[in-house]
Amino acid sequence: MEIIKKAQAGSFESSDILILAEKPKDTKGRVIQLNSIVEKQYGEMILKTVSKVLDEFEVADIHLVIHDKGALTTVIQARMETVLLRASNNQKGTMY
Amino acid sequence: MKQKRRTMLYIPGNNPAMLIHGGTYGADSLLLDLEDSVALEQKDSARILVKNVLKNINFYDAEVCVRINHLDTPFGMEDLKEIIPLKPDAIRYPKTETIEDLKRLVTVMEEIEDQHEISHDEIKIHIMIETALGVQNVFEIAKLCHRLDAITIGGQDLTADMNIKSTKDGSGIDLARKMIVMAAKANKIDAIDTVFVDIDDEEGLRKETEKSKNLGFTGKAVINPRQIDIVHEVYTPTEQEIRKAYKIYKEFKKKRTEGIGVFAVDGKMVDAPVVARAKYTLELAHINLQEI
Amino acid sequence: MKNSLNRNIPEFINGIGKIAPFTGAWNKLKKGWMDEITISPPNKAKLPHQKKLTETLKEAIIKTSPKNGMTVSFHHHLRNGDFILVEAIKTLAGLGIKNITLASSSLNNSHSELIKYIKDGTITKIWTSGIRGELGKAISKGIMENPVVIHSHGGRVRAIHTGKISIDLCIIAASAADEEGNATGAVGKSAFGSLGYARIDSRYSKQVIVVTDNLVEFPCFPLSIQQNFVDYVVKVDSIGDPTKIASGTTRITKSPMDLRIAKLAADVIEKSGYFKNGFSFQVGAGGASLAVAKFIREKMLRKEIKGSFLLGGVTSYGVDMLNEGLFKTIFDVQSFDAQVSSSLYNNKNHIEISASLYANPYNCGCMTNKLDIVVLGALEVDIDFNVNVLTGSQGYLRGASGGHCDTASGAELTVVVCPSFRGRISTINKRVDTIVTPGESVDVIVTERGICVNPINVELEQELIKTGLNVRKIEDLQKEVEEIVGTPKPIEKTDKIVALIEYRDGTAIDVVRQLKAIE
């Protein structure tokens, strides 16, 4: 899947996660900036979850900025899927 | 045992915090909403979130229903495609107005179910009557298919459709309520009353719930978990009522084996309608009729 | 060495001395007396008609001959609106005093400025029941050489009686006082109600200063603090911020989660066998713990049950129940809002009590010994029913021992209420970070996903299962929550001890270690 435009999904609300995605500028590969209120406890697990979704959708190049407010894995997966579909213009059943 | 639907808790489908705790409030039924509580730009986001939540979140004993968007919108079809495979207990269809509406929904659902080898009677359908046309057609719609299990009245949208003010006593939608109940009763399915928006007005909620119970509604939609206990209290028979119903039903079973149809309990005549009411009380109290 | 809860406790701590390990809630107390020797209160004489009033707090402090290494004490009845403690420390620092042992009955968000005075050596030891905010974070990161000692409300009294906390100067903020030092918190623009935590200080401190922003004509009553224990009296413009001390009334929470848990807890109490005429009751000051009172009140009205006394930690909800005739008496060691202060002043059945009468086990029977039902909160609990109310999920000191272990030990039925997880942090864990209340004192833990009964209560568990409540094994609940939130990486600590947690009998129930700095 190719990331062709900027997109975001999720929110700053408690138990949610806000994910901003765009094509990486001047670099290739996956650039991920994570900011989480449970960094110490779950930072690693969140990155693993994010990577897994990127693998599933076969995303090679992406720049992600993530603000996590203690979202559960299933919520992270959902928001990742949403942002990837939006950023690759592959969403279905939307206004766009 | 028949699914209890005394309370149906509405949960906005794009709200993770509310979704993950949805099953812990004791509501009989949950409505994960992809429709009116989700902003137009977030329809895709909510759909994917609800899909994930259906897969991974434990809702314990609650019935899990999903309100999809109408098939006339750009969202409805995709909602069904993503949600049906996860087999929620029911799909709630908003703004049902004609039998064509329902037929169309059923056709789409069956197509998707066939693709995923899901039988056609697993997932129930609940319809929402939210327009005057819907009210007019409710009798026809209600008898259309056997997987239709409940009818809800959407008070907010209905008053908008009718161009009237929404009043606390609900006088404007009184006829609509009664027609919906009648259609539900005629087909022996549930009728669920609309939401009571003033969360802080506990007395008001109790009064309205009592009124709707007396009209024949079998449950009420709630928008905040704080409303659940009050509605349950109204729908829970008292100790006295249960004891009386138990007595009547027990006697009824006994007399039935003896071939007697009408008899007396505590000096009062008991015939078929009395037995039916006793049965209903016992069901509300969640007592297994087989064990009596 | 390991204590009976399998926590690693050092045998000796510099600045504190030899440490006795916790061996069980009643092991030391069942003896019937205390081995430790008690110290005598100060021995003084004062001639009649002497002036106690000084112009400023500084003047009063100077008159008490402060010196290096002194212990200075305060009460925390002013909660987050306290102006006096920091002012006093600033003054002492200004006089060049160093190595102070600070013995405030608790510390909170209004005391963050103390960080500076810890770093510069003004304060080198702390005895308190709780620490919060920036101060808590700083201490958790290790700014102090000597570990802080955390005690319960009852334990503080014992510590003063035995001279472990040997108070040189105590400064008592009062919302009304007269020129002789009779003082109260029940009236005045900064009224805060009961002065329960200060009474022991007034009797045992070598020097006592009463500070008030409301000097009244002699005599000031009620005599919460008596003139025969007071050396100096100071009038200031303001002892604190009334809006943060005690304003209005305490509202019952509207959080659906807290209300749900509270309702379940009330159902447990109703079916426990302890909910009957003449029962005594204590709840927390907010959240789910206070909300239980709302549901219990409804059940009391419905079933026509009248209680005997309310204890605490009192909020206006308790006062309403007293006024409704649902309880005969309130025993008040701390008043949480303005309506409570007013009731304390006006209602003879609303009685102010000291920390000793409230919770000190070393006497002929404190109030917690007579408690039937208590509802407490928790930051986390473990599968042995131990409770942590002190350190948060990030490892910071952000709570208080307070009356938790005191009330839990005394109550016939101890109910702990908490959500099974908060955000992504599990509340039900295999092992809590810090034990404040031992599992043997906890009877039931109520969460929104299940009710767990301590296995020692075989009959209670059977009873509750029979009533159809969602009773589960705590190990199962812990596993379920871990699956929901995922297994977290533990917070890293160093070996340095930053706090010693004392059980109410003076033994060491746990320690808090320093947070490892992130590179």
Side-chain angles (χ1 to χ4, degrees), chain B residues 2-274:
Chain B
K2 191 174 178 301
Q3 173 67 48
K4 278 203 290 194
R5 294 195 183 101
R6 298 165 300 171
T7 42
M8 187 170 263
L9 177 63
Y10 283 18
I11 304 177
N14 203 29
N15 190 315
M18 291 170 77
L19 287 164
I20 60 185
H21 296 295
T24 64
Y25 294 112
D28 288 339
S29 187
L30 302 171
L31 186 72
L32 312 187
D33 186 29
L34 300 175
E35 204 229 359
D36 281 354
S37 68
V38 177
L40 293 176
E41 326 80 63
Q42 302 298 344
K43 295 290 186 186
D44 57 337
S45 182
R47 181 185 312 123
I48 295 173
L49 183 60
V50 167
K51 176 185 74 167
N52 270 37
V53 153
L54 284 171
K55 255 192 270 186
N56 296 313
I57 297 293
N58 188 348
F59 289 105
Y60 307 103
D61 294 329
E63 174 188 43
V64 181
C65 317
V66 178
R67 179 166 70 175
I68 58 163
N69 291 280
H70 199 278
L71 285 165
D72 284 345
T73 67
F75 322 113
M77 182 65 80
E78 201 58 29
D79 288 341
L80 285 167
K81 283 200 188 144
E82 292 287 305
I83 300 297
I84 296 287
L86 293 161
K87 300 203 278 182
D89 293 309
I91 293 289
R92 179 185 286 203
Y93 199 53
K95 301 173 179 60
T96 314
E97 291 196 299
T98 62
I99 50 178
E100 282 72 36
D101 272 337
L102 186 55
K103 276 190 189 157
R104 187 177 165 208
L105 172 71
V106 174
T107 308
V108 173
M109 281 180 69
E110 287 181 350
E111 256 175 51
I112 302 172
E113 283 162 344
D114 288 339
Q115 280 169 31
H116 293 271
E117 291 178 4
I118 301 171
S119 83
H120 293 177
D121 52 18
E122 266 195 70
I123 303 172
K124 303 267 178 263
I125 296 176
H126 299 175
I127 54 165
M128 284 196 81
I129 302 294
E130 309 187 76
T131 61
L133 184 60
V135 175
Q136 180 176 304
N137 291 333
V138 70
F139 288 97
E140 292 304 306
I141 301 171
K143 66 182 182 192
L144 191 63
C145 79
H146 68 281
R147 43 196 299 187
L148 179 57
D149 211 27
I151 313 176
T152 307
I153 173 172
Q156 313 292 307
D157 286 279
L158 183 56
T159 50
D161 185 62
M162 289 166 69
N163 248 321
I164 57 171
K165 257 173 66 183
S166 200
T167 61
K168 221 159 195 189
D169 68 355
S171 48
I173 56 173
D174 191 49
L175 173 64
R177 269 190 163 119
K178 289 171 174 165
M179 283 176 68
I180 285 162
V181 167
M182 210 56 74
K185 296 296 187 191
N187 292 283
K188 304 220 186 308
I189 61 178
D190 280 341
I192 300 173
D193 195 14
T194 190
V195 299
F196 184 84
V197 289
D198 190 348
I199 303 172
D200 291 319
D201 183 2
E202 294 186 356
E203 254 326 284
L205 171 62
R206 187 182 297 273
K207 284 207 176 81
E208 182 171 293
T209 310
E210 272 162 11
K211 248 176 75 182
S212 49
K213 179 181 170 202
N214 288 338
L215 279 182
F217 281 101
T218 52
K220 193 165 181 60
V222 294
I223 49 172
N224 187 299
R226 282 160 54 199
Q227 299 181 313
I228 293 171
D229 288 333
I230 296 173
V231 174
H232 281 184
E233 265 171 49
V234 172
Y235 276 99
T236 302
T238 61
E239 280 295 321
Q240 215 184 11
E241 286 169 345
I242 298 173
R243 252 179 274 132
K244 185 163 158 222
Y246 191 92
K247 225 176 173 180
I248 291 172
Y249 195 72
K250 192 161 180 202
E251 196 61 23
F252 158 73
K253 272 181 126 174
K254 194 163 139 235
K255 295 291 188 208
R256 190 173 56 180
T257 61
E258 298 166 18
I260 301 173
V262 180
F263 51 95
V265 168
D266 290 341
K268 292 228 175 80
M269 180 184 87
V270 175
D271 56 6
V274 177

Side-chain angles (χ1 to χ4, degrees), chain C residues 25-99:
Chain C
W26 303 113
N27 223 19
K28 264 191 90 181
L29 295 166
K30 68 180 185 220
K31 252 189 171 173
W33 69 84
M34 178 165 53
D35 283 328
E36 295 85 335
I37 301 170
T38 52
I39 62 167
S40 332
N43 188 341
K44 291 186 208 176
K46 277 250 176 43
L47 297 175
H49 299 285
Q50 292 211 330
K51 196 166 151 268
K52 292 186 185 178
L53 268 177
T54 65
E55 287 291 311
T56 61
L57 179 57
K58 182 169 176 186
E59 208 187 296
I61 288 176
I62 292 173
K63 287 196 169 158
T64 65
S65 308
K67 52 189 184 300
N68 287 339
M70 68 186 290
T71 298
V72 59
S73 84
F74 303 86
H75 63 72
H76 70 284
H77 290 292
L78 297 176
R79 285 177 286 282
N80 285 322
D82 179 16
F83 287 172
I84 299 304
L85 194 157
V86 171
E87 188 59 40
I89 295 296
K90 268 190 188 158
T91 307
L92 285 164
L95 293 170
I97 308 296
K98 297 260 172 243
N99 284 323

Side-chain angles (χ1 to χ4, degrees), chain C residues 24 36 55 72 181 201 213 218 273 289 305 323 373 379 498:
Chain C
E36 295 85 335
E55 287 291 311
V72 59
D201 301 51
D213 52 12
F218 184 92
S289 177
I305 288 182
N323 292 337
I373 303 169
L379 287 175
V498 297

